[in-house]
Amino acid sequence: MITLYDFPATLSYKSTSPFVWRVRFALNIKGIQHQTEWVEYADIEKRFKELGLPPSGKKPDGSPFYTVPAIYDDSTNTQISDSLKIIEYLDQTYPNTPRIISPGTNLLNTAFDWGLGQAFFKLWPLLAPNIVTNLKGASSDKYRQRLEAVTGMSMEQLKENKELQEKLWAEAQEALKVPSSWFKTSNGKVQGGPWIMGNEVTMSDLITSSNIGFAAINAGEDSEEWKRIDGWSEGLWSALWERTRPYLKVY
């Protein structure tokens, strides 16, 4: 049994991190039995150290950085952090399941991930207040501190500054204009089917669905914000998001 570590939020899918969604999508697509252990956002470093889980990277000062996702596979006694390393491990350890990372595509996946991620990250200052609201106690406080450190103002100032809000929305729209063209044919139809590259799931599906999921889930699928984001792509993002729905289940 694999244990997937995530932090909880009071959202429709209970999870907010796009990087955790990549791993959850991979586990569900592969049909690998797993469970989720929920760790409060404010307690991730403390809990991971208690469990002996490795850090995901390093902070600017060189100290260890702990964040989700991480997994523990009791069948191999393996602990891994970082979504890409986890998916590589799943491909190697469970070879009789659908392979996510095609051979020789690491550089392409990295470039695609960077390009799409940079575009969708433009939405983060607009959606992060929703994440703060949907976390509890110390976790909400810690995420608020992160938001305010990045924006250089209080969350209330950010939300009340209508001119800045419209500027951020305009920047996000412009940033997402080019990526939205990557998924359409010359006649405007969504490429691929059922997956982006055709009949087989690839890393590009996980990268895309996790970024779209970040926007849809944190904005709220019935919200005016999500309708606005999806409207920029003339329904492309929601069409791609619908493909992912069968693999959204949280265990």
Side-chain angles (χ1 to χ4, degrees):
M1 171 77 81
I2 288 179
T3 300
L4 171 63
Y5 298 92
D6 193 1
F7 66 86
T10 56
L11 292 160
S12 54
Y13 297 101
K14 201 176 179 180
S15 182
T16 183
S17 167
F19 299 102
V20 178
W21 276 116
R22 292 183 190 187
V23 176
R24 185 170 282 117
F25 290 154
L27 289 165
N28 288 337
I29 287 166
K30 288 174 172 289
I32 299 172
Q33 188 177 16
H34 64 282
Q35 62 186 0
T36 302
E37 179 173 322
W38 300 101
V39 180
E40 286 294 332
Y41 181 74
D43 299 331
I44 290 174
E45 181 171 345
K46 176 176 176 290
R47 181 60 176 153
F48 279 20
K49 286 180 177 178
E50 291 173 352
L51 294 168
L53 288 161
S56 300
K58 291 185 177 181
K59 298 177 182 177
D61 63 5
S63 61
F65 175 60
Y66 293 86
T67 191
V68 294
I71 65 164
Y72 170 62
D73 187 347
D74 64 7
S75 68
T76 60
N77 194 31
T78 300
Q79 296 174 311
I80 309 176
S81 297
D82 182 80
S83 60
L84 178 58
K85 292 178 182 177
I86 293 170
I87 294 166
E88 288 175 338
Y89 167 81
L90 296 176
D91 274 348
Q92 294 165 6
T93 309
Y94 298 90
N96 295 322
T97 64
R99 187 184 181 104
I100 302 297
I101 303 175
S102 303
T105 61
N106 282 342
L107 183 59
L108 179 63
N109 288 334
T110 299
F112 179 65
D113 191 10
W114 184 87
L116 194 62
Q118 286 290 304
F120 270 93
F121 188 73
K122 288 288 186 179
L123 292 166
W124 184 77
L126 295 160
L127 302 181
N130 294 347
I131 300 175
V132 172
T133 302
N134 283 288
L135 296 177
K136 297 179 180 179
S139 294
S140 178
D141 293 340
K142 185 172 182 178
Y143 208 96
R144 173 191 281 264
Q145 290 168 7
R146 176 186 171 191
L147 170 62
E148 293 178 348
V150 171
T151 61
M153 64 184 69
S154 72
M155 189 172 81
E156 289 72 22
Q157 289 173 321
L158 174 64
K159 293 171 70 174
E160 292 168 4
N161 191 329
K162 300 305 180 184
E163 182 178 349
L164 176 58
Q165 288 278 311
E166 286 308 311
K167 179 176 180 290
L168 292 171
W169 278 110
E171 290 176 350
Q173 181 178 6
E174 184 64 26
L176 286 165
K177 186 181 296 183
V178 171
S180 67
S181 68
W182 299 342
F183 301 92
K184 292 184 177 181
T185 61
S186 58
N187 62 2
K189 293 184 177 180
V190 179
Q191 292 193 62
W195 301 104
I196 289 171
M197 301 301 291
N199 293 324
E200 303 295 330
V201 63
T202 64
M203 190 65 184
S204 60
D205 294 289
L206 273 66
I207 292 169
T208 304
S209 59
S210 61
N211 276 291
I212 298 172
F214 169 79
I217 292 169
N218 291 302
E221 291 177 280
D222 296 324
S223 70
E224 292 303 316
E225 288 86 354
W226 171 240
K227 292 175 184 176
R228 183 175 186 175
I229 296 164
D230 190 38
W232 298 336
S233 67
E234 298 178 342
L236 168 69
W237 301 133
S238 59
L240 292 171
W241 180 233
E242 286 298 324
R243 292 181 180 181
T244 309
R245 286 190 177 281
Y247 307 96
L248 290 178
K249 193 169 182 180
V250 175
Y251 293 92

